[in-house]
Amino acid sequence: MAVAYSKHTTLYILNTKCGMKVGVVKVYKYLYFLISVILLTCYFLTGCEMDKGTSKGKVTSSLDRTSFFPRSVPAGNYTKYDINLKMSSVGEFEVDANINIKNTSEDAWNELVFYFIPNIFTKATSEKLNYSLDVPARLQFKKVVVEKIPMKYTLNKDKLTVPLKSSIGPGDEVKVEFSYEFTLPEGGLRFTKSNENYHLAQFYPMVATYRNHNWNKEEYRFRGETYHNGFSNFKVSYDIPKGYTFASTSENDVYPGKSMGSFEVNNVKEVFIAILKDPKVIQKQEENVNIRVFGFEDKEDLYKEISEVASDALSYFQKNIGPYPFSQLDIVIDGLGMEYPGIVTANSIYNNKPLEPKLLKKTVIHEIAHQWFYGIISNDPYHDAWLDEGFADFATELYIHSTNNEEVPYSSMYAAIQNLDPLPVNLPLDEYEEGKQSSYIYGKSSVMLWSLFEGRGGLKEAEKFLRIYYQYYQFKEVDSKEFIRFTEHYFRLNDDSVFAEWLLVK
Ligand SMILES: [Zn+2]
């Protein structure tokens, strides 16, 4: 989400990464009074130490590290992927994927469940789901082999289920091999051909998480992220036609690129590969990170500006939240605004026209913020989407406010969400009305995160909060319940009343 507001808060616009306007409202001065009343009520309810409602108050909190222990939501499996990818000169792909899955749950498994998103964009599935594509994907499975035994499988929408001949007990491992061919759709989401570029997102079978005695696999949706994986290890080898540039989650990709190569990356939720036709490349070194911007139009000045703002934001996030885990960050100015480990895409919002430069830069900052909130601190984006979207927006706004030295415009933030129905921000994606989820997941959640710091140290305290949150939860998965537990401890709250308006305690 990008944020724009003028002085004295006459206009406030919340834009999601999807370009959705959350609210455009006029703000009146009496809101300051109203908010003061609310905050005073909060004071009496929570016993929090206030600092007269300014964002420059003294720090009132700290975390007692001897009595607080973070709890990670377990993934239920630990997975290693070995993927071999071959692309022909006409854009046909062959994949061999060997996947080693360790059962880290307490149950024995009789089947394995994967997300296989390429199937969403075939002619048959996309028509069934009423999703219109310019060109559908083609997909053909050649084999599915479990422990060297060919197995029958079922593929329904993006759910790939592989039955097991003998069950896999807790602590046991199983090796599955997939072999398949595909072409990319045009007009797809993330997994798509865009202009002359190939965006390989979610192109391999991705092992679902396993929790509460079940595979945690929800229905695919075209809005939001409906897939969720544990931190995994990857080995990828590739063979692509000459004339293309390979940019991926790997920190070792070079420009000009090679047509054959391989990389390994550990402890990431997924890998993304972009195979790019004649990009214009701007490289900028930010301390320990090489930032590469790939553009496709005659807009070198804009790409340079993007590299500068990306460098500045990355530096701010590293300093104020924690280290970025790679030595390279790729920014592809093509396709839907989207985050992947070590690489982001940003140009448009759900196939709308390209973003104008100011919003494009904010989208880039938002996607970079996801490197921390999604990439390093994980959450289930179906059941707790706000934990990466709301935090990515919150961090983006922190960066913006830290650079402009203006007061945090709390009252205009509250005004922006005042007309929303009083729903929590942490409902599963299917429980929001069509088209309304972003107002809560991005808009209301980031505003409510800000509200925690109004009167409790403002921007500086928010930075400290994120720093400690990072230290506790890096490479762990957080849910709403754990966020509340952490925050209550951090601010020494006596109860969860500060969350009542916006978080459903699950
Ligand atoms: Zn986002």
Side-chain angles (χ1 to χ4, degrees):
M1 175 170 77
V3 180
Y5 59 90
S6 64
K7 224 175 173 189
H8 303 303
T9 64
T10 50
L11 183 67
Y12 182 66
I13 302 170
L14 295 173
N15 267 285
T16 67
K17 117 190 146 187
C18 322
M20 192 172 296
K21 281 184 184 174
V22 177
V24 180
V25 290
K26 293 213 169 187
V27 177
Y28 304 99
K29 283 183 182 170
Y30 75 81
L31 273 170
Y32 284 102
F33 171 72
L34 194 65
I35 285 151
S36 303
V37 171
I38 293 167
L39 287 165
L40 278 171
T41 310
C42 166
Y43 168 63
F44 286 114
L45 283 173
T46 63
C48 308
E49 194 177 343
M50 307 291 279
D51 58 20
K52 294 176 189 159
T54 72
S55 60
K56 291 183 173 170
K58 62 187 172 185
V59 170
T60 59
S61 57
S62 63
L63 200 64
D64 177 359
R65 290 168 191 239
T66 56
S67 64
F68 185 83
F69 299 96
R71 295 176 194 147
S72 179
V73 185
N77 67 75
Y78 178 67
T79 301
K80 294 176 192 166
Y81 296 83
D82 191 339
I83 296 169
N84 190 288
L85 174 80
K86 210 170 176 181
M87 175 183 163
S88 78
S89 57
V90 289
E92 293 159 335
F93 290 87
E94 281 175 47
V95 172
D96 292 307
N98 294 327
I99 306 179
N100 193 289
I101 310 161
K102 183 174 184 179
N103 179 354
T104 57
S105 79
E106 56 193 28
D107 298 341
W109 298 337
N110 295 314
E111 63 178 23
L112 301 170
V113 174
F114 301 83
Y115 300 87
F116 195 60
I117 289 175
N119 193 47
I120 291 292
F121 299 100
T122 58
K123 189 167 189 293
T125 312
S126 63
E127 281 177 0
K128 200 155 59 182
L129 298 174
N130 287 323
Y131 186 78
S132 147
L133 288 162
D134 301 330
V135 178
R138 277 190 284 119
L139 174 67
Q140 194 187 2
F141 261 95
K142 283 155 55 184
K143 65 171 187 183
V144 177
V145 172
V146 178
E147 296 294 348
K148 301 205 161 78
I149 300 169
M151 293 295 286
K152 289 212 162 64
Y153 62 90
T154 56
L155 180 55
N156 182 10
K157 295 182 210 164
D158 69 331
K159 185 178 184 182
L160 174 59
T161 309
V162 181
L164 294 168
K165 277 226 156 69
S166 49
S167 70
I168 306 297
D172 291 347
E173 294 184 22
V174 60
K175 191 172 176 185
V176 196
E177 296 166 65
F178 296 95
S179 187
Y180 55 97
E181 296 174 354
F182 65 86
T183 58
L184 285 177
E186 289 179 32
L189 286 173
R190 305 180 184 113
F191 175 82
T192 193
K193 189 175 178 197
S194 173
N195 300 313
E196 293 304 307
N197 304 318
Y198 295 84
H199 290 231
L200 296 173
Q202 300 108 34
F203 67 96
Y204 52 89
M206 304 190 298
V207 182
T209 52
Y210 184 95
R211 53 190 48 157
N212 304 321
H213 310 293
N214 276 303
W215 289 100
N216 176 32
K217 164 73 186 69
E218 300 291 354
E219 283 280 302
Y220 183 83
R221 295 172 71 82
F222 291 97
R223 289 292 178 271
E225 283 92 72
T226 51
Y227 60 95
H228 177 46
N229 318 105
F231 290 104
S232 309
N233 294 353
F234 290 83
K235 279 185 193 172
V236 178
S237 58
Y238 59 88
D239 182 352
I240 61 171
K242 288 198 168 42
Y244 286 94
T245 293
F246 187 93
S248 73
T249 291
S250 169
E251 61 186 356
N252 297 319
D253 297 330
V254 292
Y255 179 80
K258 294 175 285 183
S259 58
M260 282 176 81
S262 63
F263 67 85
E264 288 187 31
V265 58
N266 292 336
N267 228 10
V268 289
K269 290 186 74 175
E270 61 185 308
V271 291
F272 175 75
I273 295 169
I275 298 170
L276 306 171
K277 186 76 176 160
D278 301 329
K280 299 178 195 319
V281 185
I282 305 283
Q283 304 206 42
K284 182 166 171 54
Q285 190 70 26
E286 184 281 320
E287 290 171 26
N288 53 346
V289 181
N290 184 39
I291 294 172
R292 306 192 302 170
V293 177
F294 297 91
F296 302 90
E297 296 176 77
D298 287 329
K299 294 181 176 172
E300 273 87 350
D301 288 349
L302 174 64
Y303 301 145
K304 193 157 178 294
E305 287 168 25
I306 289 172
S307 74
E308 277 157 13
V309 79
S311 164
D312 201 41
L314 186 79
S315 168
Y316 174 83
F317 294 144
Q318 292 215 83
K319 187 164 154 255
N320 291 291
I321 306 173
Y324 171 73
F326 308 114
S327 60
Q328 187 153 273
L329 172 67
D330 287 342
I331 300 166
V332 178
I333 307 300
D334 182 45
L336 179 69
M338 186 63 195
E339 69 280 6
Y340 307 96
I343 179 166
V344 303
T345 57
N347 195 37
S348 63
I349 305 293
Y350 284 124
N351 294 338
N352 286 335
K353 62 181 194 279
L355 295 166
E356 52 91 7
K358 196 171 171 191
L359 269 182
L360 177 58
K361 286 178 204 167
K362 284 184 181 168
T363 303
V364 167
I365 299 168
H366 173 99
E367 307 309 347
I368 292 174
H370 271 302
Q371 296 299 315
W372 283 261
F373 306 106
Y374 145 83
I376 300 172
I377 302 167
S378 178
N379 59 290
D380 180 333
Y382 192 95
H383 294 282
D384 269 315
W386 79 278
L387 279 169
D388 65 291
E389 296 303 353
F391 269 80
D393 273 354
F394 183 54
T396 301
E397 291 160 19
L398 272 175
Y399 163 68
I400 290 168
H401 293 313
S402 77
T403 54
N404 65 16
N405 287 320
E406 288 177 9
E407 288 285 311
V408 177
Y410 291 105
S411 47
S412 61
M413 290 179 180
Y414 300 141
I417 60 167
Q418 70 180 351
N419 293 327
L420 288 178
D421 293 335
L423 292 175
V425 305
N426 63 334
L427 296 177
L429 295 182
D430 62 339
E431 290 186 23
Y432 289 105
E433 233 179 275
E434 181 108 29
K436 298 257 178 88
Q437 67 191 41
S438 298
S439 305
Y440 297 91
I441 291 164
Y442 296 70
K444 184 174 175 180
S445 72
S446 58
V447 171
M448 296 316 287
L449 283 171
W450 274 111
S451 76
L452 290 173
F453 300 95
E454 185 180 21
R456 294 193 191 92
L459 189 140
K460 282 288 151 208
E461 188 66 16
E463 289 170 345
K464 184 178 160 198
F465 178 94
L466 292 187
R467 216 154 38 236
I468 296 179
Y469 186 65
Y470 174 100
Q471 284 163 18
Y472 273 88
Y473 294 104
Q474 56 184 304
F475 304 109
K476 291 186 175 65
E477 181 180 334
V478 182
D479 58 14
S480 291
K481 199 170 146 195
E482 183 63 6
F483 166 80
I484 290 171
R485 197 174 77 87
F486 171 81
T487 308
E488 283 182 350
H489 199 86
Y490 184 92
F491 286 119
R492 298 176 190 152
L493 304 176
N494 295 321
D495 58 43
D496 52 19
S497 57
V498 297
F499 310 107
E501 258 184 75
W502 56 294
L503 288 177
L504 186 69
V505 181
K506 296 170 186 174

